[in-house]
Amino acid sequence: MEQFRIGDSKVLESRETVDGTMIRRRRESKDGHRFTTYERIELPPLTVSKRSGNKEIYDRDKLLLAVKRSVGKFFNSELEVEEVVNRATDILYSYNTDQITSKQIGEAVLDVLADVNEVAYVRFASVFREFKTLEDFENILKEQKSKKK
């Protein structure tokens, strides 16, 4: 795949993505090749406190990879997985703090999955909450059914 330098191109069209989180720019290089770039709004960094006590900077791409790996097969496209991560990230920033826990990240993903894909929700919950018994699965299914009523 050829790579183009953005500085050597001109913008043909700019528009905001449907969810309003990025700007999509259609560009053309000097030699006539067209390509698309996406610009994401840079948010202030969040510090994640891990279970081990370690701290690291929140990495949206790391979360995206984890969600794809764990429940990506339950979605029809990568865009749907991106939307799950975007919504979870929005939840994390809505806490209005620069420090979050890894548990809050998992719960934010679960909140989104509960709305968009019940099977993915149960699968993610089973790993995140470390289910050990069949009863753990039964309880989460009962919980989900009661929310739907």
Side-chain angles (χ1 to χ4, degrees):
M1 178 176 196
E2 286 186 68
Q3 291 190 0
F4 304 103
R5 291 177 14 148
I6 293 174
D8 294 341
S9 66
K10 66 179 178 181
V11 175
L12 302 174
E13 172 188 13
S14 292
R15 65 172 69 159
E16 205 172 279
T17 56
V18 175
D19 63 4
T21 61
M22 290 187 279
I23 303 292
R24 176 185 176 272
R25 298 198 194 280
R26 195 72 186 125
R27 297 177 175 274
E28 185 174 42
S29 64
K30 288 181 180 177
D31 62 0
H33 287 91
R34 291 185 177 202
F35 61 101
T36 302
T37 59
Y38 291 89
E39 298 173 16
R40 181 174 287 127
I41 296 169
E42 190 171 321
L43 298 168
L46 294 173
T47 302
V48 179
S49 298
K50 310 281 277 180
R51 287 184 208 179
S52 66
N54 293 339
K55 293 185 187 258
E56 62 183 53
I57 299 296
Y58 172 70
D59 184 347
R60 184 192 170 285
D61 293 333
K62 183 177 177 181
L63 180 60
L64 180 63
L65 185 62
V67 171
K68 276 184 193 176
R69 201 176 317 132
S70 63
V71 295
K73 64 185 167 203
F74 297 106
F75 292 92
N76 295 322
S77 73
E78 284 198 27
L79 288 176
E80 290 178 340
V81 179
E82 285 266 355
E83 181 59 24
V84 168
V85 173
N86 287 343
R87 288 178 54 192
T89 299
D90 289 346
I91 291 169
L92 298 172
Y93 276 96
S94 74
Y95 297 149
N96 291 323
T97 181
D98 60 351
Q99 292 233 331
I100 57 173
T101 64
S102 55
K103 183 177 183 196
Q104 287 175 303
I105 295 172
E107 293 296 337
V109 171
L110 282 174
D111 286 349
V112 175
L113 289 176
D115 290 340
V116 299
N117 188 311
E118 292 174 325
V119 176
Y121 170 81
V122 172
R123 168 79 167 105
F124 192 86
S126 71
V127 174
F128 175 66
R129 294 186 178 157
E130 300 175 342
F131 288 4
K132 302 275 190 257
T133 67
L134 186 57
E135 189 176 317
D136 294 333
F137 282 96
E138 290 171 344
N139 289 338
I140 198 114
L141 292 172
K142 286 178 193 171
E143 182 183 308
Q144 274 302 100
K145 284 182 181 179
S146 69
K147 285 181 184 177
K148 289 183 84 172
K149 290 181 181 180

